[in-house]
Amino acid sequence: MPSSSVLWLFAIVAFAILVFATIMFLASRYKRCSSDQILVIYGRVGLNQSARCIHGGGAFVWPLIQDYAYMSLTPMTITIPLENALSLQNIRINVPSTFTVGVSTEPGIMNNAAERLLRINPRQIEEMAQEIIFGQLRLTVASLTIEQINQDRESFLESIRKNVEPELNKIGLFLINVNITDITDGSNYIESIGKKAAAEAINAAKVDVADQEKFGAIGEAAANRERNIRVAENMAESEKGQKKAEADRRVYVQQQDAEAVKGEKKATAEQRIFVQQQEAEAVKGEKQAEADQRVYVKQQEALAVGGENKSKADIAAADALLAQKEAEALQKGEVAKRQAEVEIQKAQYLAEQQRLNAEVIVRQEIEKRKVEIDAEALAEKFRREAKGQADAILAKYEAEAKGIKQVLEGKAAGYESLVKSCNGDAKSASTLLMIEKIEEIVSRQVEAIKNLKIDKITVWDSGSGSEKGGSSTANFLSSMIKSLPPLQEIATMAGVELPEYLGKMVDSKEVTEVKEPSKTAVKKDPAKDKPVNPA
């Protein structure tokens, strides 16, 4: 039992550590993005998608397959000192301006910024944006006249925005603000336009002043006349109002006096009636109270007597019920005591049985675990032995292959040196190699017949001999010797021609012609069976 508790405790602690480690790992891989930044997650983020951009909030960044970086949304102020830009009228003007740009938070443009501006410092971004703005600003100036540029600044700024912003969006930026500081030209065209406009404005102002003075005098006279008329009318209206107000006041006072007298009479009559009603109600209430008091007293006396009798009966019944309850309680107590003793004995029996079962199960589990550990150790031993044998076999074959490779490389180097010593003549080199092997070939031929035991060879001969008069045994030996191929034939089969000082093959016909005269030159003595010289 204690070992099971320790195992359970260890399992719970391990599970808690695993959960805590998982939570910490997930917390470490959850990356948050502030409001002035863009979180760019790149790597394996989706099909046909190079990066995933998040503005605000956060996301999980999985290790090994993903990584992340931040892009700042801080606006950048770019000064554009545009000079000698050609307008639609072919007049060169200077348009110094200031542009405020920043990284866009729209999904498509934000992805462009992630692809083209990530890990680029702000100075490089400003230079890139400055080049784009220079070109588009020149294009905008070339499509407008000086009057349109100088007089209608709103349209000019809108044209700049339409031309510049789409190009900035291609690299992930958007245009926040455009500020044109001043517009000048080298030919003083704008200054001349200004002088003309100033003169026109001055003349128009003088005309406006004269017109306003005339309108002022006329208006003053009309205002004085209107004032006198309005004053007289207001005075008449005031008098009329005063008279009417006095008449209305007198009528209202009389009406209020009549209403007051009427109300006083009515209040006096209602007061008398109310007093008489209250006196009658008081007398009636006194009589009703006396009658109710008498009835209530009689009822209470009857209730008291009945209550006393009922209380006595209830006391007797309660005593009997108490005695019965005490007897039943005593009986139930004894029964419960006996049942408790039985349950205690059962519980002790079951506890002892479970303890014995637990000991047996634990012992069997220990034996089972020992068998498993022994089996795993034996399997690991077999695996390691097999791995060692496989490594030894592999090392052996690698060593043999290395030795064969070195032998072949040595032979190749020797053959190369041999061919070089023969001035590159491969045929001469092969002839030399064949000459080296002649001794070995002859040795092999000798080995083929040296172990033959002549006394063990039986030749069946009919006694007739050969056509040339030789015996079958002699023919057998000569045929056996002839069955060994000569050196020239072996070299020819190998594709090598031996030099003449090692011998030369002759035709069989020539051999026959040479042998025929020798028969006449050499004779045998019948007596001694030896060849003699006829001379």
Side-chain angles (χ1 to χ4, degrees):
M1 294 299 288
S3 61
S4 299
S5 301
V6 171
L7 291 175
W8 275 106
L9 181 60
F10 179 74
I12 292 171
V13 171
F15 179 74
I17 293 173
L18 179 61
V19 171
F20 179 74
T22 303
I23 294 172
M24 292 302 295
F25 172 75
L26 294 177
S28 65
R29 300 313 301 172
Y30 186 79
K31 304 301 177 182
R32 294 174 295 278
C33 180
S34 61
S35 59
D36 62 340
Q37 288 181 327
I38 295 175
L39 175 62
V40 181
I41 302 174
Y42 55 89
R44 192 177 184 85
V45 295
L47 185 63
N48 297 327
Q49 189 175 359
S50 60
R52 182 159 61 97
C53 300
I54 299 171
H55 176 225
F60 282 102
V61 179
W62 301 110
L64 299 180
I65 63 173
Q66 291 181 348
D67 206 342
Y68 70 97
Y70 291 99
M71 286 195 304
S72 176
L73 296 178
T74 304
M76 295 171 285
T77 302
I78 303 173
T79 301
I80 306 296
L82 182 62
E83 296 179 353
N84 296 326
L86 195 64
S87 67
L88 186 62
Q89 299 163 320
N90 293 327
I91 298 174
R92 295 191 178 276
I93 62 175
N94 304 322
V95 188
S97 55
T98 303
F99 286 75
T100 304
V101 299
V103 178
S104 178
T105 56
E106 294 184 7
I109 304 175
M110 193 162 48
N111 286 335
N112 292 340
E115 291 176 358
R116 295 176 174 85
L117 303 181
L118 189 64
R119 304 188 187 283
I120 298 179
N121 58 48
R123 182 60 184 168
Q124 292 176 332
I125 296 174
E126 289 180 7
E127 292 176 356
M128 190 185 305
Q130 189 176 23
E131 294 296 328
I132 294 173
I133 294 171
F134 255 118
Q136 296 303 316
L137 187 56
R138 285 184 181 275
L139 178 64
T140 305
V141 171
S143 64
L144 299 174
T145 63
I146 294 179
E147 286 79 5
Q148 291 174 333
I149 295 172
N150 191 37
Q151 295 175 5
D152 193 359
R153 291 293 181 91
E154 289 294 331
S155 299
F156 179 48
L157 294 177
E158 187 64 26
S159 299
I160 293 174
R161 186 178 294 275
K162 287 182 180 179
N163 289 330
V164 173
E165 192 164 21
E167 298 301 321
L168 292 176
N169 290 343
K170 292 179 182 179
I171 62 172
L173 301 177
F174 80 104
L175 185 60
I176 299 175
N177 184 36
V178 181
N179 185 19
I180 305 298
T181 57
D182 191 14
I183 300 175
T184 59
D185 66 303
S187 59
N188 296 325
Y189 181 76
I190 297 175
E191 185 179 356
S192 300
I193 293 174
K195 290 179 179 180
K196 178 184 177 181
E200 291 176 353
I202 291 171
N203 294 330
K206 290 179 179 179
V207 173
D208 291 339
V209 168
D211 289 339
Q212 293 301 322
E213 288 178 352
K214 180 185 69 173
F215 291 150
I218 295 171
E220 185 179 0
N224 290 331
R225 183 176 61 83
E226 186 70 21
R227 182 190 63 185
N228 294 331
I229 295 172
R230 295 301 176 192
V231 168
E233 289 179 352
N234 288 330
M235 290 177 67
E237 290 292 330
S238 177
E239 295 250 347
K240 182 179 177 181
Q242 289 178 359
K243 297 297 182 181
K244 185 177 181 183
E246 289 180 358
D248 291 339
R249 182 178 61 80
R250 289 177 183 176
V251 171
Y252 182 74
V253 169
Q254 294 296 329
Q255 288 177 352
Q256 293 300 318
D257 290 340
E259 289 292 332
V261 172
K262 183 178 179 182
E264 288 177 357
K265 297 294 184 181
K266 185 177 180 182
T268 302
E270 290 178 353
Q271 181 181 4
R272 290 176 181 175
I273 293 170
F274 182 74
V275 169
Q276 291 178 0
Q277 288 178 351
Q278 292 299 319
E279 290 178 352
E281 288 293 331
V283 173
K284 183 179 178 182
E286 290 177 357
K287 298 297 183 181
Q288 183 68 34
E290 290 178 358
D292 291 340
Q293 182 181 3
R294 291 177 182 175
V295 172
Y296 181 74
V297 170
K298 295 297 184 182
Q299 288 177 351
Q300 294 301 319
E301 290 178 354
L303 289 174
V305 174
E308 290 177 356
N309 295 332
K310 186 177 180 182
S311 298
K312 292 178 181 179
D314 290 340
I315 290 170
D319 291 337
L321 184 60
L322 179 61
Q324 183 180 358
K325 295 292 184 181
E326 288 177 350
E328 291 177 355
L330 181 60
Q331 181 183 1
K332 290 180 180 180
E334 292 295 330
V335 172
K337 183 178 179 182
R338 298 293 185 270
Q339 289 179 351
E341 292 176 353
V342 172
E343 293 296 331
I344 289 171
Q345 293 178 358
K346 288 182 179 180
Q348 291 176 349
Y349 173 74
L350 291 175
E352 184 65 20
Q353 186 178 8
Q354 290 178 357
R355 185 182 66 80
L356 294 175
N357 291 335
E359 290 179 356
V360 173
I361 292 172
V362 169
R363 188 164 54 253
Q364 291 178 353
E365 287 291 334
I366 293 172
E367 293 294 332
K368 176 183 176 183
R369 185 59 182 166
K370 286 175 62 179
V371 172
E372 291 177 353
I373 292 172
D374 293 340
E376 290 176 358
L378 185 60
E380 183 65 21
K381 177 183 176 183
F382 289 156
R383 282 195 296 269
R384 293 190 178 184
E385 289 179 352
K387 187 175 183 301
Q389 293 176 0
D391 292 341
I393 294 171
L394 179 61
K396 176 183 175 183
Y397 285 134
E398 287 179 350
E400 291 179 355
K402 187 175 180 181
I404 294 171
K405 180 181 178 183
Q406 291 178 352
V407 170
L408 293 177
E409 288 177 351
K411 285 185 177 181
Y415 291 156
E416 184 179 1
S417 300
L418 182 61
V419 172
K420 286 182 180 179
S421 65
C422 295
N423 295 326
D425 189 358
K427 185 174 182 182
S428 299
S430 60
T431 302
L432 292 176
L433 291 174
M434 190 66 188
I435 291 171
E436 287 184 357
K437 298 295 182 179
I438 287 176
E439 182 179 356
E440 184 179 353
I441 293 171
V442 173
S443 299
R444 295 293 177 89
Q445 289 179 343
V446 172
E447 288 287 337
I449 62 173
K450 77 173 183 178
N451 293 324
L452 290 176
K453 298 183 182 296
I454 302 300
D455 56 346
K456 297 295 184 179
I457 298 175
T458 304
V459 180
W460 297 94
D461 188 4
S462 59
S464 60
S466 61
E467 295 178 357
K468 297 180 180 180
S471 65
S472 298
T473 303
N475 291 334
F476 167 73
L477 292 175
S478 62
S479 298
M480 183 176 66
I481 296 300
K482 290 180 180 180
S483 65
L484 297 176
L487 294 176
Q488 284 79 3
E489 288 186 2
I490 294 173
T492 302
M493 286 187 291
V496 178
E497 184 177 355
L498 294 177
E500 293 183 357
Y501 58 77
L502 293 177
K504 183 177 180 182
M505 292 288 294
V506 296
D507 192 12
S508 59
K509 187 181 293 184
E510 295 177 357
V511 173
T512 304
E513 292 177 356
V514 171
K515 288 182 177 181
E516 286 298 330
S518 64
K519 290 182 180 179
T520 57
V522 179
K523 294 183 179 180
K524 294 182 179 179
D525 189 357
K528 297 182 179 180
D529 197 13
K530 292 183 180 180
V532 295
N533 192 345

Short mmCIF file of all heavy atoms in Angstrom, two decimals, residues 38-42 45-55 71 73 102-119 168-174:
data_model
loop_
_atom_site.label_atom_id
_atom_site.label_comp_id
_atom_site.label_asym_id
_atom_site.label_seq_id
_atom_site.Cartn_x
_atom_site.Cartn_y
_atom_site.Cartn_z
N ILE A 38 3.91 45.72 -36.50
CA ILE A 38 3.29 44.63 -37.26
C ILE A 38 4.11 43.37 -36.99
O ILE A 38 5.33 43.37 -37.13
CB ILE A 38 3.26 44.93 -38.76
CG1 ILE A 38 2.35 46.12 -39.05
CG2 ILE A 38 2.78 43.71 -39.55
CD1 ILE A 38 2.37 46.55 -40.49
N LEU A 39 3.43 42.32 -36.56
CA LEU A 39 4.08 41.03 -36.33
C LEU A 39 4.08 40.25 -37.64
O LEU A 39 3.01 39.97 -38.21
CB LEU A 39 3.35 40.24 -35.24
CG LEU A 39 3.84 38.81 -34.98
CD1 LEU A 39 5.28 38.82 -34.51
CD2 LEU A 39 2.95 38.12 -33.96
N VAL A 40 5.26 39.90 -38.14
CA VAL A 40 5.41 39.16 -39.40
C VAL A 40 5.88 37.75 -39.05
O VAL A 40 6.98 37.56 -38.52
CB VAL A 40 6.41 39.85 -40.34
CG1 VAL A 40 6.53 39.07 -41.63
CG2 VAL A 40 5.99 41.28 -40.62
N ILE A 41 5.04 36.76 -39.34
CA ILE A 41 5.37 35.34 -39.14
C ILE A 41 5.69 34.75 -40.50
O ILE A 41 4.86 34.79 -41.42
CB ILE A 41 4.21 34.59 -38.47
CG1 ILE A 41 3.85 35.24 -37.12
CG2 ILE A 41 4.55 33.13 -38.28
CD1 ILE A 41 2.63 34.66 -36.48
N TYR A 42 6.89 34.20 -40.64
CA TYR A 42 7.30 33.64 -41.92
C TYR A 42 7.77 32.21 -41.71
O TYR A 42 8.03 31.77 -40.60
CB TYR A 42 8.38 34.49 -42.58
CG TYR A 42 9.60 34.74 -41.72
CD1 TYR A 42 10.69 33.88 -41.74
CD2 TYR A 42 9.67 35.85 -40.89
CE1 TYR A 42 11.80 34.10 -40.95
CE2 TYR A 42 10.79 36.09 -40.09
CZ TYR A 42 11.85 35.21 -40.13
OH TYR A 42 12.95 35.43 -39.36
N VAL A 45 3.59 29.04 -43.32
CA VAL A 45 2.41 29.75 -42.81
C VAL A 45 1.15 29.48 -43.62
O VAL A 45 0.07 29.89 -43.23
CB VAL A 45 2.67 31.27 -42.79
CG1 VAL A 45 3.78 31.60 -41.81
CG2 VAL A 45 3.05 31.79 -44.17
N GLY A 46 1.26 28.80 -44.73
CA GLY A 46 0.08 28.52 -45.52
C GLY A 46 0.47 28.26 -46.97
O GLY A 46 1.58 28.53 -47.41
N LEU A 47 -0.50 27.73 -47.74
CA LEU A 47 -0.27 27.40 -49.13
C LEU A 47 -0.15 28.68 -49.94
O LEU A 47 -1.01 29.57 -49.85
CB LEU A 47 -1.42 26.52 -49.66
CG LEU A 47 -1.26 25.99 -51.08
CD1 LEU A 47 -0.04 25.07 -51.17
CD2 LEU A 47 -2.52 25.24 -51.51
N ASN A 48 0.91 28.77 -50.75
CA ASN A 48 1.16 29.94 -51.60
C ASN A 48 1.17 31.24 -50.81
O ASN A 48 0.66 32.27 -51.25
CB ASN A 48 0.10 30.01 -52.72
CG ASN A 48 0.16 28.81 -53.65
OD1 ASN A 48 1.24 28.26 -53.88
ND2 ASN A 48 -0.98 28.37 -54.14
N GLN A 49 1.73 31.20 -49.64
CA GLN A 49 1.77 32.39 -48.77
C GLN A 49 3.16 32.47 -48.16
O GLN A 49 3.63 31.54 -47.51
CB GLN A 49 0.70 32.29 -47.68
CG GLN A 49 0.53 33.56 -46.88
CD GLN A 49 -0.61 33.44 -45.89
OE1 GLN A 49 -1.28 32.41 -45.82
NE2 GLN A 49 -0.84 34.49 -45.13
N SER A 50 3.83 33.60 -48.41
CA SER A 50 5.21 33.75 -47.94
C SER A 50 5.28 34.21 -46.49
O SER A 50 6.26 33.94 -45.80
CB SER A 50 5.95 34.74 -48.83
OG SER A 50 5.32 36.01 -48.79
N ALA A 51 4.27 34.94 -46.02
CA ALA A 51 4.30 35.47 -44.66
C ALA A 51 2.87 35.74 -44.21
O ALA A 51 1.96 35.90 -45.03
CB ALA A 51 5.14 36.74 -44.57
N ARG A 52 2.71 35.80 -42.89
CA ARG A 52 1.41 36.15 -42.30
C ARG A 52 1.64 37.36 -41.39
O ARG A 52 2.46 37.32 -40.49
CB ARG A 52 0.84 34.99 -41.50
CG ARG A 52 -0.53 35.28 -40.90
CD ARG A 52 -1.25 33.97 -40.59
NE ARG A 52 -0.52 33.17 -39.62
CZ ARG A 52 -0.78 33.16 -38.31
NH1 ARG A 52 -1.75 33.91 -37.83
NH2 ARG A 52 -0.08 32.40 -37.50
N CYS A 53 0.89 38.45 -41.66
CA CYS A 53 1.08 39.72 -40.94
C CYS A 53 -0.08 39.94 -39.98
O CYS A 53 -1.25 39.71 -40.32
CB CYS A 53 1.17 40.88 -41.92
SG CYS A 53 2.54 40.74 -43.08
N ILE A 54 0.24 40.38 -38.77
CA ILE A 54 -0.76 40.62 -37.73
C ILE A 54 -0.50 41.99 -37.15
O ILE A 54 0.62 42.31 -36.74
CB ILE A 54 -0.68 39.54 -36.63
CG1 ILE A 54 -0.96 38.16 -37.22
CG2 ILE A 54 -1.65 39.85 -35.50
CD1 ILE A 54 -0.70 37.04 -36.25
N HIS A 55 -1.56 42.82 -37.11
CA HIS A 55 -1.46 44.14 -36.49
C HIS A 55 -2.34 44.14 -35.25
O HIS A 55 -3.55 44.06 -35.33
CB HIS A 55 -1.93 45.23 -37.47
CG HIS A 55 -1.95 46.59 -36.85
ND1 HIS A 55 -3.00 47.45 -37.01
CD2 HIS A 55 -1.06 47.22 -36.04
CE1 HIS A 55 -2.76 48.57 -36.34
NE2 HIS A 55 -1.58 48.44 -35.74
N MET A 71 7.84 44.84 -37.63
CA MET A 71 8.02 46.03 -38.46
C MET A 71 7.38 47.22 -37.75
O MET A 71 6.25 47.11 -37.25
CB MET A 71 7.39 45.85 -39.84
CG MET A 71 8.17 44.94 -40.76
SD MET A 71 7.63 45.11 -42.49
CE MET A 71 5.89 44.78 -42.34
N LEU A 73 5.57 50.85 -37.30
CA LEU A 73 4.59 51.68 -38.00
C LEU A 73 4.87 53.17 -37.81
O LEU A 73 4.02 54.00 -38.15
CB LEU A 73 3.17 51.35 -37.50
CG LEU A 73 2.67 49.94 -37.77
CD1 LEU A 73 1.29 49.75 -37.18
CD2 LEU A 73 2.63 49.66 -39.26
N GLY A 102 4.29 55.93 -44.21
CA GLY A 102 4.41 54.89 -43.18
C GLY A 102 4.00 53.54 -43.74
O GLY A 102 3.43 53.44 -44.83
N VAL A 103 4.32 52.49 -42.99
CA VAL A 103 3.93 51.12 -43.39
C VAL A 103 2.43 50.97 -43.23
O VAL A 103 1.86 51.34 -42.20
CB VAL A 103 4.68 50.08 -42.55
CG1 VAL A 103 4.24 48.67 -42.92
CG2 VAL A 103 6.18 50.22 -42.72
N SER A 104 1.78 50.47 -44.27
CA SER A 104 0.32 50.32 -44.25
C SER A 104 -0.10 49.11 -43.42
O SER A 104 0.64 48.14 -43.26
CB SER A 104 -0.20 50.16 -45.68
OG SER A 104 -1.60 49.96 -45.69
N THR A 105 -1.32 49.19 -42.87
CA THR A 105 -1.90 48.07 -42.10
C THR A 105 -2.99 47.35 -42.87
O THR A 105 -3.65 46.47 -42.31
CB THR A 105 -2.47 48.60 -40.77
OG1 THR A 105 -3.44 49.63 -41.05
CG2 THR A 105 -1.36 49.16 -39.89
N GLU A 106 -3.22 47.70 -44.14
CA GLU A 106 -4.17 46.95 -44.95
C GLU A 106 -3.55 45.61 -45.32
O GLU A 106 -2.34 45.54 -45.60
CB GLU A 106 -4.53 47.74 -46.20
CG GLU A 106 -5.30 49.03 -45.90
CD GLU A 106 -5.72 49.73 -47.17
OE1 GLU A 106 -5.51 49.14 -48.27
OE2 GLU A 106 -6.24 50.85 -47.08
N PRO A 107 -4.35 44.52 -45.36
CA PRO A 107 -3.77 43.18 -45.51
C PRO A 107 -2.86 43.02 -46.73
O PRO A 107 -1.74 42.56 -46.62
CB PRO A 107 -5.01 42.28 -45.60
CG PRO A 107 -6.07 43.03 -44.87
CD PRO A 107 -5.81 44.48 -45.12
N GLY A 108 -3.34 43.41 -47.93
CA GLY A 108 -2.53 43.21 -49.12
C GLY A 108 -1.26 44.04 -49.11
O GLY A 108 -0.17 43.56 -49.41
N ILE A 109 -1.40 45.34 -48.75
CA ILE A 109 -0.22 46.22 -48.72
C ILE A 109 0.72 45.80 -47.60
O ILE A 109 1.95 45.90 -47.73
CB ILE A 109 -0.69 47.68 -48.56
CG1 ILE A 109 -1.68 48.05 -49.67
CG2 ILE A 109 0.49 48.63 -48.58
CD1 ILE A 109 -2.29 49.42 -49.53
N MET A 110 0.17 45.32 -46.50
CA MET A 110 0.99 44.87 -45.38
C MET A 110 1.85 43.66 -45.78
O MET A 110 3.01 43.55 -45.38
CB MET A 110 0.08 44.53 -44.19
CG MET A 110 0.77 44.35 -42.87
SD MET A 110 -0.38 44.48 -41.48
CE MET A 110 -1.72 43.43 -42.00
N ASN A 111 1.30 42.76 -46.60
CA ASN A 111 2.08 41.63 -47.10
C ASN A 111 3.20 42.09 -48.03
O ASN A 111 4.30 41.53 -48.03
CB ASN A 111 1.17 40.64 -47.82
CG ASN A 111 0.31 39.84 -46.87
OD1 ASN A 111 0.68 39.66 -45.71
ND2 ASN A 111 -0.82 39.38 -47.33
N ASN A 112 2.92 43.16 -48.83
CA ASN A 112 3.98 43.71 -49.68
C ASN A 112 5.12 44.25 -48.81
O ASN A 112 6.31 44.09 -49.14
CB ASN A 112 3.42 44.83 -50.56
CG ASN A 112 2.47 44.30 -51.60
OD1 ASN A 112 2.49 43.12 -51.93
ND2 ASN A 112 1.61 45.15 -52.12
N ALA A 113 4.78 44.92 -47.71
CA ALA A 113 5.81 45.43 -46.81
C ALA A 113 6.61 44.29 -46.19
O ALA A 113 7.84 44.38 -46.04
CB ALA A 113 5.17 46.28 -45.72
N ALA A 114 5.93 43.19 -45.82
CA ALA A 114 6.65 42.05 -45.25
C ALA A 114 7.61 41.42 -46.25
O ALA A 114 8.67 40.92 -45.88
CB ALA A 114 5.65 41.01 -44.74
N GLU A 115 7.23 41.43 -47.53
CA GLU A 115 8.08 40.80 -48.54
C GLU A 115 9.25 41.71 -48.95
O GLU A 115 10.30 41.20 -49.35
CB GLU A 115 7.24 40.47 -49.77
CG GLU A 115 6.22 39.35 -49.52
CD GLU A 115 5.35 39.11 -50.74
OE1 GLU A 115 5.51 39.84 -51.74
OE2 GLU A 115 4.50 38.20 -50.69
N ARG A 116 9.07 43.05 -48.88
CA ARG A 116 10.08 43.94 -49.46
C ARG A 116 10.80 44.83 -48.45
O ARG A 116 11.86 45.35 -48.76
CB ARG A 116 9.42 44.84 -50.51
CG ARG A 116 8.90 44.03 -51.71
CD ARG A 116 8.17 44.91 -52.70
NE ARG A 116 7.80 44.15 -53.88
CZ ARG A 116 6.70 43.42 -53.99
NH1 ARG A 116 5.87 43.36 -52.97
NH2 ARG A 116 6.44 42.74 -55.09
N LEU A 117 10.24 45.02 -47.26
CA LEU A 117 10.84 45.96 -46.31
C LEU A 117 11.31 45.31 -45.02
O LEU A 117 11.87 46.00 -44.17
CB LEU A 117 9.85 47.09 -45.97
CG LEU A 117 9.32 47.90 -47.15
CD1 LEU A 117 8.37 48.97 -46.66
CD2 LEU A 117 10.46 48.53 -47.94
N LEU A 118 11.03 44.01 -44.84
CA LEU A 118 11.42 43.36 -43.59
C LEU A 118 12.94 43.33 -43.47
O LEU A 118 13.66 43.02 -44.41
CB LEU A 118 10.85 41.93 -43.55
CG LEU A 118 10.98 41.20 -42.21
CD1 LEU A 118 10.18 41.91 -41.14
CD2 LEU A 118 10.50 39.75 -42.36
N ARG A 119 13.43 43.68 -42.27
CA ARG A 119 14.86 43.69 -41.94
C ARG A 119 15.64 44.76 -42.72
O ARG A 119 16.86 44.67 -42.88
CB ARG A 119 15.50 42.32 -42.15
CG ARG A 119 14.81 41.21 -41.35
CD ARG A 119 15.58 39.91 -41.44
NE ARG A 119 14.87 38.81 -40.83
CZ ARG A 119 14.77 38.59 -39.52
NH1 ARG A 119 15.35 39.42 -38.69
NH2 ARG A 119 14.11 37.55 -39.04
N LEU A 168 3.78 53.66 -53.94
CA LEU A 168 4.24 53.35 -52.58
C LEU A 168 3.61 52.06 -52.06
O LEU A 168 4.23 51.31 -51.30
CB LEU A 168 3.93 54.51 -51.64
CG LEU A 168 4.71 55.81 -51.87
CD1 LEU A 168 4.22 56.89 -50.92
CD2 LEU A 168 6.21 55.59 -51.69
N ASN A 169 2.35 51.81 -52.46
CA ASN A 169 1.66 50.59 -52.00
C ASN A 169 2.36 49.32 -52.49
O ASN A 169 2.27 48.27 -51.87
CB ASN A 169 0.21 50.59 -52.48
CG ASN A 169 -0.62 51.64 -51.77
OD1 ASN A 169 -0.23 52.15 -50.73
ND2 ASN A 169 -1.75 51.99 -52.33
N LYS A 170 3.06 49.45 -53.63
CA LYS A 170 3.73 48.25 -54.17
C LYS A 170 4.84 47.76 -53.25
O LYS A 170 5.20 46.58 -53.28
CB LYS A 170 4.30 48.57 -55.55
CG LYS A 170 3.22 48.81 -56.60
CD LYS A 170 3.85 49.14 -57.95
CE LYS A 170 2.78 49.42 -58.99
NZ LYS A 170 3.37 49.78 -60.30
N ILE A 171 5.43 48.65 -52.46
CA ILE A 171 6.48 48.22 -51.53
C ILE A 171 5.98 48.19 -50.09
O ILE A 171 6.76 48.02 -49.15
CB ILE A 171 7.71 49.14 -51.63
CG1 ILE A 171 7.36 50.58 -51.24
CG2 ILE A 171 8.31 49.08 -53.01
CD1 ILE A 171 8.58 51.48 -51.15
N GLY A 172 4.66 48.38 -49.88
CA GLY A 172 4.08 48.25 -48.55
C GLY A 172 3.90 49.55 -47.80
O GLY A 172 3.57 49.51 -46.61
N LEU A 173 4.09 50.72 -48.44
CA LEU A 173 3.93 52.01 -47.77
C LEU A 173 2.66 52.69 -48.24
O LEU A 173 2.10 52.36 -49.29
CB LEU A 173 5.13 52.92 -48.07
CG LEU A 173 6.51 52.40 -47.65
CD1 LEU A 173 7.59 53.38 -48.09
CD2 LEU A 173 6.59 52.18 -46.15
N PHE A 174 2.17 53.63 -47.44
CA PHE A 174 1.04 54.46 -47.86
C PHE A 174 1.33 55.91 -47.49
O PHE A 174 2.11 56.19 -46.58
CB PHE A 174 -0.26 53.97 -47.24
CG PHE A 174 -0.47 54.41 -45.82
CD1 PHE A 174 -1.36 55.42 -45.50
CD2 PHE A 174 0.24 53.80 -44.78
CE1 PHE A 174 -1.55 55.81 -44.19
CE2 PHE A 174 0.05 54.19 -43.47
CZ PHE A 174 -0.85 55.21 -43.18
#
